[in-house]
Amino acid sequence: MQPEQIEAARDLALSGASDGVTRLGLGEAVVLRQSHPTDIEGTLYRPLLCLILQGAKDVSAGAISVRCPAGHAIIVSHDLPVSSRITHASEDAPYVAFVLPIDLGLLRGFFDLVPDVPDGAEDERALTCHPAEPGLLDAVARFIALSRDPAAAPLLGPILLQEIHARLLLSAQGAILRRFLHREDPSRQVAQAIASIRASIDEPLSVSALAERTGMSRSSFHAHFKAVTGLTPGQYQKDIRLLEARRLIAEGKASISAVAFDVGYESPAHFSRDYSRKFGYSPREERTGRRNVLEDEVT
């Protein structure tokens, strides 16, 4: 850990930021600030880098669980339904994180330039957290500083985005991203299966069909899917259905029963039970405003 670099990035991120999400104006990068610990929240993470600059948070996806203090980088390589909770935050020392969606197309552009690095089977997980390397911390600090320079940002922003992505690929914690570049790697095939599940969440799940589509046996597909996501395909589909239902309920355009059917449930009562177990409150309580709905896809 490099305290000076972390402090520099943190101070830049805190400058002018209030609680909530502050967009930096460079790509989709944001700074997240929170002055109090939070309850557990269900959220959909897209591929992203989350660099904790102050405070700490816990994140889990099924059997995968990580504790992330300041100076650590969370890397998510696949669309992943997670439960997360900010554990250390206060008015004097708020939780601060730099969040950058990962551009998989940009990563693939580096394919021929990335040296061969031996990666172990344990690096198949789509959710990891490790101490951030000095080069990554420095690049993020320069990126945040650049966002305050409207003249230079359009010219240098794309270059720094490339550097951050390159440093992720070269880092020890970037193993899952390096694996993802290889067309035949199981993590790439799991991503294809995830896309199929998300595109048809209202339809019955056929693990056999997904396995056939990815060119794996049913047992091999099931094992790789859980190794990557921490969830079985069935658990993954249920979590995605419930997160989509939460979004639809927040919109307020359809009845609770209609939302249940829209996301693939045959019984509104079954839907309500699963929803309450997932989020800790019922769909009706959500609709009547007894809970504040947080935006998905922001960590």
Side-chain angles (χ1 to χ4, degrees), residues 30 39 51 77 88 117 123 137 150 179 189 233 272 290-291:
V30 303
D39 295 330
L51 179 57
S77 59
H88 290 80
V117 180
D123 295 318
L137 287 169
R179 294 178 64 120
Q189 295 163 328
S272 185
R290 289 178 61 186
R291 291 286 302 188

Side-chain angles (χ1 to χ4, degrees), residues 134-146:
L136 178 61
L137 287 169
D138 178 63
V140 167
R142 286 185 283 114
F143 186 89
I144 298 172
L146 181 66

Side-chain angles (χ1 to χ4, degrees), residues 1-3 5-7 9-10 45 48-59 65-76 87-88 95-100 125 127-134 136-137 140 168 171-174 299:
M1 186 183 298
Q2 304 291 318
Q5 290 174 305
I6 296 168
E7 289 173 8
R10 179 202 63 200
Y45 279 9
L48 59 80
L49 160 70
C50 175
L51 179 57
I52 313 295
L53 300 175
Q54 184 166 272
K57 85 180 312 181
D58 293 344
V59 185
S65 182
V66 295
R67 309 199 78 174
C68 312
H72 282 56
I74 301 170
I75 295 179
V76 179
T87 57
H88 290 80
Y95 169 85
V96 184
F98 168 81
V99 183
L100 178 70
R125 297 181 305 163
L127 169 65
T128 62
C129 182
H130 299 277
E133 297 183 353
L136 178 61
L137 287 169
V140 167
L168 287 175
S171 67
Q173 63 263 40
T299 161

Side-chain angles (χ1 to χ4, degrees), residues 11-295:
D11 292 345
L12 283 165
L14 279 171
S15 175
S18 56
D19 273 12
V21 177
T22 300
R23 302 196 178 278
L24 296 179
L26 284 174
E28 297 180 53
V30 303
V31 167
L32 184 64
R33 183 185 190 274
Q34 178 59 251
S35 297
H36 304 281
T38 62
D39 295 330
I40 295 175
E41 289 290 340
T43 298
L44 177 67
Y45 279 9
R46 298 290 181 84
L48 59 80
L49 160 70
C50 175
L51 179 57
I52 313 295
L53 300 175
Q54 184 166 272
K57 85 180 312 181
D58 293 344
V59 185
S60 63
I64 303 172
S65 182
V66 295
R67 309 199 78 174
C68 312
H72 282 56
I74 301 170
I75 295 179
V76 179
S77 59
H78 294 61
D79 291 356
L80 204 59
V82 306
S83 296
S84 66
R85 180 170 69 97
I86 294 172
T87 57
H88 290 80
S90 67
E91 293 284 353
D92 293 333
Y95 169 85
V96 184
F98 168 81
V99 183
L100 178 70
I102 291 176
D103 185 339
L104 297 176
L106 184 56
L107 290 182
R108 293 187 187 106
F110 295 139
F111 178 77
D112 291 331
L113 302 175
V114 178
D116 289 332
V117 180
D119 297 324
E122 71 276 5
D123 295 318
E124 199 171 6
R125 297 181 305 163
L127 169 65
T128 62
C129 182
H130 299 277
E133 297 183 353
L136 178 61
L137 287 169
D138 178 63
V140 167
R142 286 185 283 114
F143 186 89
I144 298 172
L146 181 66
S147 72
R148 314 293 167 82
D149 186 343
L155 296 173
L156 299 177
I159 297 171
L160 266 181
L161 280 172
Q162 284 190 322
E163 180 182 346
I164 291 172
H165 280 72
R167 291 192 179 280
L168 287 175
L169 275 180
L170 294 171
S171 67
Q173 63 263 40
I176 182 61
L177 300 178
R178 292 191 293 271
R179 294 178 64 120
F180 200 82
L181 296 182
H182 297 278
R183 186 178 298 276
E184 301 305 319
D185 191 88
S187 64
R188 183 86 171 264
Q189 295 163 328
V190 168
Q192 295 170 356
I194 284 173
S196 295
I197 293 172
R198 294 200 62 203
S200 54
I201 61 170
D202 59 332
E203 298 176 8
L205 181 69
S206 171
V207 176
S208 297
L210 288 173
E212 184 177 353
R213 229 171 281 156
T214 59
M216 289 189 260
S217 69
R218 181 187 172 98
S219 60
S220 179
F221 169 74
H222 195 280
H224 282 297
F225 193 97
K226 187 164 186 180
V228 170
T229 66
L231 300 159
T232 67
Q235 290 169 332
Y236 185 96
Q237 185 195 52
K238 183 167 76 171
D239 278 1
I240 290 295
R241 283 177 166 179
L242 293 172
L243 287 170
E244 174 63 9
R246 190 176 184 223
R247 186 187 68 80
L248 293 173
I249 289 170
E251 286 183 353
K253 296 178 181 178
S255 68
I256 301 298
S257 295
V259 169
F261 293 130
D262 285 345
V263 299
Y265 278 83
E266 297 181 357
S267 163
H270 183 194
F271 165 69
S272 185
R273 287 194 299 272
D274 280 356
Y275 196 98
S276 297
R277 279 195 290 265
K278 173 71 174 175
F279 299 116
Y281 48 92
S282 72
R284 199 161 302 281
E285 288 171 331
E286 179 86 273
R287 173 60 54 82
T288 56
R290 289 178 61 186
R291 291 286 302 188
N292 292 322
V293 182
L294 302 183
E295 286 185 4

